[in-house]
Amino acid sequence: MVLPFLLTFAPMNGKDEIIKRRLYYEGLKQAITTPVKNESISVVDEIIQDDEVEQDFKDTFRLWKEVIGPLDSAVTFVHNNRFLVEEKEYIINEDPDAVFMKPEEIFNVLKNLLSATVMEFLSVLEMPSTEKTKLLNYVEHGDKDGFVSMLEQAQCDLTALAKLCSYCWDALSTGTEMEGDDFSFYLDSIAGHQPMEGDADDGKIVEAVKQWQPSVEVLDEDDSDEALQQYFSDYRHFLETDLAARLHYYWDWYDDFTLKERNLIDPILDNPMAKDLIDGIWEEYRNPKPKSLEPFILPEDFFDWQHKSNTPKEFFYMDNKLKRKGVDVLVAFIDWLADKGYIADDNEVKALFAYRLTGRCRPEGDELPVIEWHGKNGKSYELIYLVRYLSDRADYKKMRRFFTGPEWVKDRDSSYANSADSEFRKKMSEFFPEFCKFVV
């Protein structure tokens, strides 16, 4: 029942607003239920139902189909079709950056938006309403040539329209529907993107794409089990990175999402197969790991003899290799491990890690604590890689005493070293090219 006095405040164009809202929420539902074309969904369904496909691969596809694709598509839809419209004046007037886009590029953005959003975007053009209506019709009918021709003939300033279009997001589904070399070039464009300053998620997505790229290129030429395993490992990492970014955005702006929007989006997050993953992202979101306030440093004479420990059971035999690289490389290497979450971003943990590697500068205390290691997907492969390629004696028994956290392999530890994350192996080859060779 609607209370009569509330009708006093109804807008004059109430019926038009109702129609617009109905179309908006129908569009959001469509974005969630069909984040990609039906043909792509059919291919994924065939893979999921194929008994010969490994379960890990099936789970990755299901995660994309049931959780990450719908969430990414939904949040992108709301961002593009509501948030940008509401912030239109601010974007145009307050953002000092001048943006240039060709008419065909503008068309490619507009064709993915609701008609009401396209109308809002086109309203910033200084031209008669009749011409704006023609442009809208071109977009609605997919007539790029007509749209481009009319804009070129109008010769009006496109700066404001280009600025709005530049703020629009691509959904994750964009790349999945590309064919041939287009997908490779699409990934290359993302890898070359300059992350926004202060946007950690933006930078992580770029890094995840850079990690995924090599295995995408290799799989085009090599469909071996090893190449396929690496592809899916990198793809899974990219998906989880994208999921975290979209969840962070959703939670950051949760109060700005309408009740109807939340009622459509929240059920996506209740999918049992993603519970542990989403719970982990939520825990990190609510309780971010504190970064060390002071920079991690080691003394310049760190590798001199007077710092050498007399208890070799407490460290690996690898100081000669590391000594040749110098203290600066060792510090940068340990900082990178902490930044990527392999070890805690805590200077005491970093100092203990340096001691375990080299036997130099033993921390105080009778009993040294173990270091918690966070490998990709909870595995120990990256740690095994370090022990195999940095140490002179690959002592995996020491590894298990010095570290805790990952899922240890049952035997033949060294055989798992090259299963380490490709981004990790590539970075190790940059720090230590003499004895860490990167092989895709």
Side-chain angles (χ1 to χ4, degrees), residues 14-259:
K15 289 185 178 179
D16 290 341
E17 186 62 28
I18 290 172
I19 293 172
K20 184 187 298 185
R21 288 280 172 168
R22 179 176 286 114
L23 291 174
Y24 173 82
Y25 286 110
E26 287 176 357
L28 179 55
K29 290 177 184 177
Q30 181 71 17
I32 292 171
T33 56
T34 315
V36 295
K37 293 178 180 177
N38 288 326
E39 308 91 86
S40 299
I41 292 294
S42 298
V43 172
V44 170
D45 286 338
E46 288 179 12
I47 294 173
I48 292 174
Q49 295 165 13
D50 190 338
D51 293 336
E52 296 183 2
V53 175
E54 292 190 24
Q55 190 61 44
D56 285 350
F57 299 169
K58 292 183 180 182
D59 290 344
T60 297
F61 275 121
R62 279 194 60 205
L63 183 66
W64 170 79
K65 176 191 173 185
E66 298 177 19
V67 180
I68 300 177
L71 176 66
D72 187 87
S73 184
V75 173
T76 297
F77 181 92
V78 175
H79 173 271
N80 290 349
N81 291 286
R82 189 167 70 80
F83 288 174
L84 292 188
V85 171
E86 293 174 357
E87 296 294 325
K88 181 178 68 173
E89 297 303 322
Y90 177 85
I91 293 171
I92 293 172
N93 297 318
E94 301 299 329
D95 186 345
D97 293 335
V99 177
F100 172 75
M101 294 178 72
K102 294 186 292 186
E104 52 264 39
E105 293 174 321
I106 292 174
F107 177 88
N108 289 336
V109 173
L110 296 180
K111 70 179 184 180
N112 294 314
L113 304 176
L114 287 176
S115 291
T117 308
V118 177
M119 288 174 61
E120 291 283 355
F121 279 30
L122 293 177
S123 70
V124 305
L125 295 176
E126 294 184 359
M127 60 169 54
S129 296
T130 53
E131 294 186 10
K132 293 176 186 176
T133 301
K134 288 180 181 179
L135 287 174
L136 175 64
N137 288 333
Y138 285 137
V139 174
E140 290 179 333
H141 291 89
D143 187 350
K144 180 188 289 189
D145 292 339
F147 180 89
V148 170
S149 176
M150 185 171 177
L151 272 190
E152 290 176 342
Q153 291 175 14
Q155 296 186 337
C156 61
D157 186 4
L158 301 179
T159 302
L161 178 57
K163 191 176 288 188
L164 288 172
C165 289
S166 73
Y167 271 78
C168 288
W169 289 350
D170 270 345
L172 181 67
S173 59
T174 301
T176 63
E177 297 178 351
M178 294 181 178
E179 299 179 355
D181 293 336
D182 287 352
F183 181 59
S184 177
F185 290 126
Y186 176 68
L187 290 183
D188 197 59
S189 69
I190 299 176
H193 166 69
Q194 185 64 37
M196 294 179 62
E197 186 175 350
D199 190 338
D201 284 322
D202 197 23
K204 288 178 180 178
I205 287 178
V206 171
E207 290 302 315
V209 169
K210 288 181 179 178
Q211 175 181 332
W212 186 22
Q213 263 188 304
S215 56
V216 172
E217 300 289 339
V218 168
L219 199 62
D220 285 340
E221 306 294 335
D222 177 11
D223 60 355
S224 65
D225 289 344
E226 183 177 357
L228 199 59
Q229 288 280 357
Q230 187 62 60
Y231 174 89
F232 272 94
S233 174
D234 294 335
Y235 179 46
R236 176 81 179 207
H237 173 63
F238 167 74
L239 289 179
E240 293 182 1
T241 303
D242 184 84
L243 174 63
R246 291 296 179 253
L247 285 174
H248 292 163
Y249 181 86
Y250 182 49
W251 293 331
D252 283 345
W253 300 100
Y254 190 79
D255 290 342
D256 291 286
F257 283 80
T258 68
L259 177 62

